[in-house]
Amino acid sequence: MTATPLEALFARQQAARWRVAATSADQRKAKLRALLEALMAHRGEAQAALVEDFRKAPEEVDLTELYPVISEIKEALRHLRRWMKPRRVPTPIGLFGSAGTIRHEPKGVVLIVSPWNYPIYLTLGPLVSAIAAGNCAILKPSEFTPHTNAFLRKLLAGLFPEEEAALVEGEADTAQALLALPFDHVFFTGSPAVGKVVMKAAAEHLASVTLELGGKSPVLVDADANLRETARKIAWGKGLNGGQTCVAPDYVLVHERIHDHLVEELKQAFTAFYGVTPEARQASPDLARIINDRHFTRLQSLLSGSAAQIAFGGATDAASRYIEPTILTGVDPASPVMQEEIFGPLLPVLKVRDMADAVAFVNARPKPLALYVFSGSRRTAESLIARTTAGGTCINDTVLHFAHTGLPTGGVNTSGFGKAHGRHGFEAFSNARGILRQRTRFSAIQLMYPPYTGFVRRMIDLTLRYF
């Protein structure tokens, strides 16, 4: 039976995987430098592609698409030799005579399935980690960003042979065909619903997975927070990419004593960023548009069905897929806007009596991908973190933890699992292989070989008691 093109590509990568796995740190770093240089050389093309797909500002492309990938590359270039070096671990006295090391070896042929919201960063970021770890990779970006996909296809084709790294385009059937192949690891970024499909498919081959999923990321604002600073940081995190960010502030839980003040500061922040009048905000070149008609309609439905007060914004335009940054107050926790990830520029702001109520609200819902705490008290912030759980957290800021290459990023339970970025990304695409080397002809364990005589039983007893 003739192999399909995807099967043939996968077979070529399987044939190349041992050669790629044997590459040195210098060889892998050369690949990463080539990618870095190509990104910088084609920066204008990247900006143009994302203007076509999102009407995203070129400056935002630089900050949220190119800079994170460049940071990943530079982090790997600085530390890859150390990451690859076998690491000695202490030997228990009961295994006297042996030595233990941990060696990170490539997993083999990996699949990276990336979403549409940050199509450069969330495609190339994992690829940096896969290359650093010595893998071959097939990348499947979302079909919703055709201009960016064309840019990525051209970029990668000029850098790597297909048997090492290849970008495959297509719709859901292409993703399904790829998931049917026996990859050694699958790295998926997207929704929890599709994450379950990916995990089921990977289970057929017992392939390991990294799932970076979504969820409703809450913001907790205590009464002693600096409200002007807090509002600017929340508005910035919400406005990025038109709110289409997996770690965007999804809703705000604010102490009732400062609720009205925070809402006023949020209004001021949105007008400072995008324009004083509704007309100016709609004309702003700095606010990205919604990716497609389906998502626009979904957001418009959330807005119209919220039964909340529109404290700011609320304007929409279907022709340009524009949704104005919108603050919602008096929101019913049972309303649709509080039941699903918003993924757009709608910001519900809810009053709570105190931070204990905020913690109870968060813990009664699925574990979020991110959680944000604003407080003037370090003790309060630490207490809120200790009483909640999330994939990642910022104290007195939003989103920035996702750009910190030294921090692991990823979710927990319904918001995903497995970690990425920097060393954590390298380890996600590696098998940590434990190796014990016996350095002497005699080892302590030989004293406990059968037959289990009285002497052997005494040795076992001493080992259990003291070693």
Side-chain angles (χ1 to χ4, degrees):
M1 186 174 177
T2 304
T4 67
L6 291 181
E7 290 170 338
L9 172 61
F10 180 77
R12 292 202 303 276
Q13 291 210 348
Q14 280 190 313
R17 62 95 71 206
W18 290 110
R19 173 180 58 78
V20 175
T23 51
S24 66
D26 286 341
Q27 289 171 312
R28 297 179 194 180
K29 287 165 71 173
K31 294 181 184 180
L32 295 176
R33 286 194 190 94
L35 178 58
L36 173 60
E37 291 168 5
L39 279 173
M40 292 302 294
H42 298 283
R43 175 181 170 188
E45 294 172 46
Q47 294 170 344
L50 283 154
V51 167
E52 290 291 331
D53 285 330
F54 279 100
R55 223 194 85 172
K56 186 183 287 194
E59 296 83 357
E60 193 170 301
V61 174
D62 286 345
L63 287 174
T64 65
E65 295 274 15
L66 299 183
Y67 173 73
V69 180
I70 290 167
S71 294
E72 287 284 344
I73 294 172
K74 290 180 177 178
E75 179 81 357
L77 291 175
R78 281 192 295 267
H79 302 294
L80 182 56
R81 194 176 304 279
R82 177 167 56 84
W83 295 346
M84 290 176 63
K85 186 177 180 180
R87 179 165 59 89
R88 289 281 300 272
V89 294
T91 300
I93 191 69
L95 298 179
F96 175 78
S98 65
T101 59
I102 299 172
R103 185 175 301 171
H104 285 90
E105 61 185 18
K107 286 189 173 178
V109 181
V110 303
L111 173 64
I112 297 169
V113 182
S114 56
W116 51 263
N117 59 324
Y118 289 92
I120 294 179
Y121 175 33
L122 295 178
T123 302
L124 297 185
L127 178 63
V128 171
S129 296
I131 290 172
N135 296 280
C136 300
I138 294 177
L139 300 93
K140 166 60 177 75
S142 168
E143 64 273 21
F144 293 162
T145 52
H147 298 91
T148 308
N149 294 352
F151 164 75
L152 288 171
R153 182 177 65 250
K154 180 180 176 183
L155 182 85
L156 294 174
L159 293 173
F160 308 116
E162 276 200 335
E163 64 269 20
E164 294 185 12
L167 186 139
V168 172
E169 295 183 77
E171 300 190 10
D173 56 339
T174 301
Q176 291 169 357
L178 285 167
L179 288 168
L181 299 172
F183 285 93
D184 298 297
H185 186 77
V186 179
F187 192 109
F188 170 79
T189 306
S191 70
V194 181
K196 293 177 182 179
V197 174
V198 170
M199 193 171 178
K200 286 179 181 177
E204 291 296 316
H205 307 291
L206 295 180
S208 56
V209 295
T210 301
L211 302 180
E212 293 205 359
L213 309 179
K216 297 183 74 64
S217 296
V219 184
L220 281 58
V221 183
D222 201 5
D224 63 352
N226 181 323
L227 294 188
R228 178 159 297 178
E229 176 185 316
T230 297
R232 285 177 60 82
K233 291 175 177 177
I234 294 172
W236 175 76
K238 190 65 172 178
L240 279 177
N241 205 32
Q244 300 164 110
T245 303
C246 57
V247 291
D250 195 276
Y251 63 94
V252 178
L253 299 173
V254 55
H255 195 292
E256 61 184 5
R257 195 164 73 237
I258 58 167
H259 171 273
D260 293 350
H261 189 180
L262 178 64
V263 169
E264 289 303 314
E265 291 291 353
L266 284 166
K267 293 179 185 179
Q268 293 299 317
F270 280 127
T271 58
F273 292 162
Y274 304 115
V276 175
T277 65
E279 295 76 17
R281 289 191 285 277
Q282 185 165 352
S284 171
D286 301 323
L287 184 67
R289 297 309 189 242
I290 305 306
I291 183 65
N292 57 33
D293 291 340
R294 180 166 67 87
H295 283 279
F296 174 86
T297 301
R298 180 186 63 82
L299 287 165
Q300 197 171 44
S301 176
L302 288 179
L303 178 59
S304 62
S306 67
Q309 178 185 349
I310 297 176
F312 178 85
T316 65
D317 178 59
S320 61
R321 299 194 301 273
Y322 166 76
I323 293 183
E324 186 178 11
T326 301
I327 302 170
L328 300 173
T329 59
V331 183
D332 182 352
S335 64
V337 78
M338 289 300 297
Q339 298 305 306
E340 62 181 76
E341 184 177 8
I342 295 171
F343 229 64
L346 312 180
L347 183 65
V349 180
L350 292 80
K351 294 180 184 179
V352 291
R353 288 180 300 177
D354 52 32
M355 288 299 99
D357 276 4
V359 167
F361 191 97
V362 171
N363 288 343
R365 288 158 176 78
K367 298 171 183 175
L369 182 59
L371 183 144
Y372 303 115
V373 174
F374 286 88
S375 174
S377 165
R378 180 170 182 172
R379 177 177 295 180
T380 297
E382 292 295 335
S383 173
L384 292 173
I385 291 172
R387 290 182 287 155
T388 57
T389 187
T393 288
C394 286
I395 299 172
N396 293 328
D397 219 321
T398 64
V399 178
L400 290 182
H401 68 294
F402 204 78
H404 193 314
T405 55
L407 293 175
T409 62
V412 54
N413 293 118
T414 52
S415 56
F417 50 82
K419 300 299 179 182
H421 295 185
R423 175 157 197 150
H424 306 282
F426 170 83
E427 291 178 348
F429 286 100
S430 301
N431 172 46
R433 185 174 184 173
I435 299 173
L436 184 142
R437 184 185 304 278
Q438 195 58 258
R439 298 183 299 183
T440 63
R441 291 182 61 188
F442 172 79
S443 60
I445 195 69
Q446 293 178 37
L447 295 173
M448 290 170 272
Y449 283 179
Y452 296 123
T453 63
F455 170 78
V456 172
R457 288 196 295 274
R458 287 193 297 274
M459 292 301 300
I460 293 173
D461 185 60
L462 288 171
T463 300
L464 291 176
R465 288 176 182 271
Y466 301 111
F467 303 118

